[in-house]
């Protein structure tokens, strides 16, 4: 029975990552028409509305003062920087390239946990971390001849998403997940409004653009729900590696929607990053360690997967 549950969980994780990748592709398409700040603002409003409904159902409004705790605020600020950087990256570079670099996030979180939180990491996982970062360097091709400015945005997004995940571990356990999500979505909405105002990049929202924004939010919510199903049905250590299917979906969508094909360096570097990540997950599973990173997709208004976790808490109650 557990094998069947794990298989179902893996399928939900694959479908969830496909939904997130479709959201990324739609957002990349939107960046051709409207500014990053405007996208962040309207998506943030949608997520805030949903988060408020979940908070109301969960009856956690009495915990709202936790929004102003320093660690919660700093975590939200890290998510804001990651959001801006990742959306700028989607605007500037092929979807598959951004997704390939982002696959290193779980390894970066493992490195951060070892350096700043005293998490035990043996030489095998240290080797996987080093190999993963070598894969990233192959993808971004540092140097004036091959470096893409968009790659810098992805690296910034990954670094701040790593800080976000580590800070989440440091927040008091009695603070409901939905409170953290509300803090994040509110700051993303305010940050989007501020960015759009600074860049003076507000455009009239024509119905086709509104439809794409709603479609993107819809796939984002489907991704949330499928991740909830995956975690509820299967062992986390079993389904976590299937997050790497996001790279496959992003590559396919990039070819279909934007006629962009990954270069040899992206294929080789991506294979190294994914291989290193899978080995790290294998070692974590062998040692009975729960995967440290919350999501492989920083910068979305989901707040690092907390909205999915919050909805899971409501469903469980």
């Amino acid at each position: 029975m557990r094998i069947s549950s794990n298989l179902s969980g893996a399928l939900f994780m694959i479908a969830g990552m496909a939904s997130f990748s479709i959201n990324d592709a739609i957002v990349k398409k939107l960046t051709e028409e409207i500014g990053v700040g405007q996208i962040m603002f309207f998506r943030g409003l949608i997520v805030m509305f949903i988060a408020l409904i979940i908070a109301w159902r969960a009856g956690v409004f009495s915990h709202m003062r936790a929004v102003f705790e320093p660690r919660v605020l700093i975590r939200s600020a890290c998510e804001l920087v990651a959001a801006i950087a990742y959306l700028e990256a989607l605007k500037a570079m092929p979807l598959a390239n951004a997704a390939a670099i982002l696959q290193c996030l779980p390894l970066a979180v493992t490195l951060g946990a070892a350096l700043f939180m005293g998490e035990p990491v043996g030489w095998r996982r240290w080797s996987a971390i080093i190999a993963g970062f070598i894969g990233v360097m192959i993808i971004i091709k540092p140097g004036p001849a091959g470096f893409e400015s968009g790659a810098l945005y992805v690296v910034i997004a990954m670094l701040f998403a790593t800080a976000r995940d580590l800070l989440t571990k440091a927040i008091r356990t009695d603070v409901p997940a939905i409170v953290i999500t509300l803090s994040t979505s509110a700051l993303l909405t305010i940050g989007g409004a501020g960015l759009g105002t600074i860049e003076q990049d507000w455009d009239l929202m024509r119905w086709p653009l509104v439809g794409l924004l709603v479609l993107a939010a819809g796939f984002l919510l489907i991704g949330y729900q499928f991740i909830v199903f995956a975690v509820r049905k299967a062992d986390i250590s079993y389904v976590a590696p299937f997050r790497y299917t996001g790279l496959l979906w992003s590559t396919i969508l990039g070819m279909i929607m934007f006629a962009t094909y990954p270069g040899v360096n992206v294929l080789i570097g991506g294979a190294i990053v994914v291989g290193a990540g899978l080995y790290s997950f294998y070692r974590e599973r062998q040692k009975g360690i729960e995967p440290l990173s919350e999501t492989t997709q920083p910068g979305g208004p989901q707040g690092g997967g907390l909205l999915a976790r919050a909805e899971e808490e409501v469903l469980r109650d």
Side-chain angles (χ1 to χ4, degrees), residues 62 77 97-98 101 105 132 180 196 199 273 292 315:
S62 60
N97 294 37
I101 297 172
L105 176 59
I180 304 173
E199 295 182 342
V273 171
L292 289 168
L315 291 171

Side-chain angles (χ1 to χ4, degrees), residues 3-156:
I3 294 175
S4 177
S5 296
N6 280 340
L7 178 59
S8 298
L11 292 175
F12 277 121
M13 179 64 76
I14 292 170
M17 295 312 300
S19 298
F20 288 142
S21 298
I22 294 171
N23 164 72
D24 282 352
I26 295 173
V27 168
K28 179 175 175 60
K29 196 71 175 177
L30 282 168
T31 59
E32 299 174 0
E33 301 286 340
I34 57 178
V36 168
Q38 192 168 356
I39 294 171
M40 287 177 55
F41 175 74
F42 283 103
R43 281 206 322 182
L45 283 179
I46 294 171
V47 174
M48 277 188 64
F49 175 73
I50 297 167
L52 283 169
I53 293 175
I54 295 174
W56 170 68
R57 288 179 58 198
V60 298
F61 283 114
S62 60
H63 296 271
M64 285 301 169
R65 282 180 292 184
V67 167
F68 301 102
E69 292 188 5
R71 288 177 180 175
V72 176
L73 289 174
I74 296 172
R75 182 203 177 278
S76 299
C78 288
E79 181 72 22
L80 174 61
V81 176
I84 295 172
Y86 187 58
L87 291 177
E88 291 288 353
L90 289 177
K91 183 178 179 179
M93 70 188 304
L95 187 61
N97 294 37
I101 297 172
L102 216 53
Q103 303 309 311
C104 208
L105 176 59
L107 296 172
V109 174
T110 300
L111 173 62
L115 295 177
F116 302 111
M117 300 177 68
E119 292 281 349
V121 177
W123 69 269
R124 293 180 180 85
R125 284 204 290 160
W126 274 115
S127 300
I129 291 170
I130 294 171
F133 286 120
I134 290 173
V136 169
M137 297 303 287
I138 292 174
I139 295 168
I140 65 177
K141 294 190 297 185
F147 183 79
E148 294 183 70
S149 60
L152 178 60
Y153 284 122
V154 185
V155 172
I156 292 172

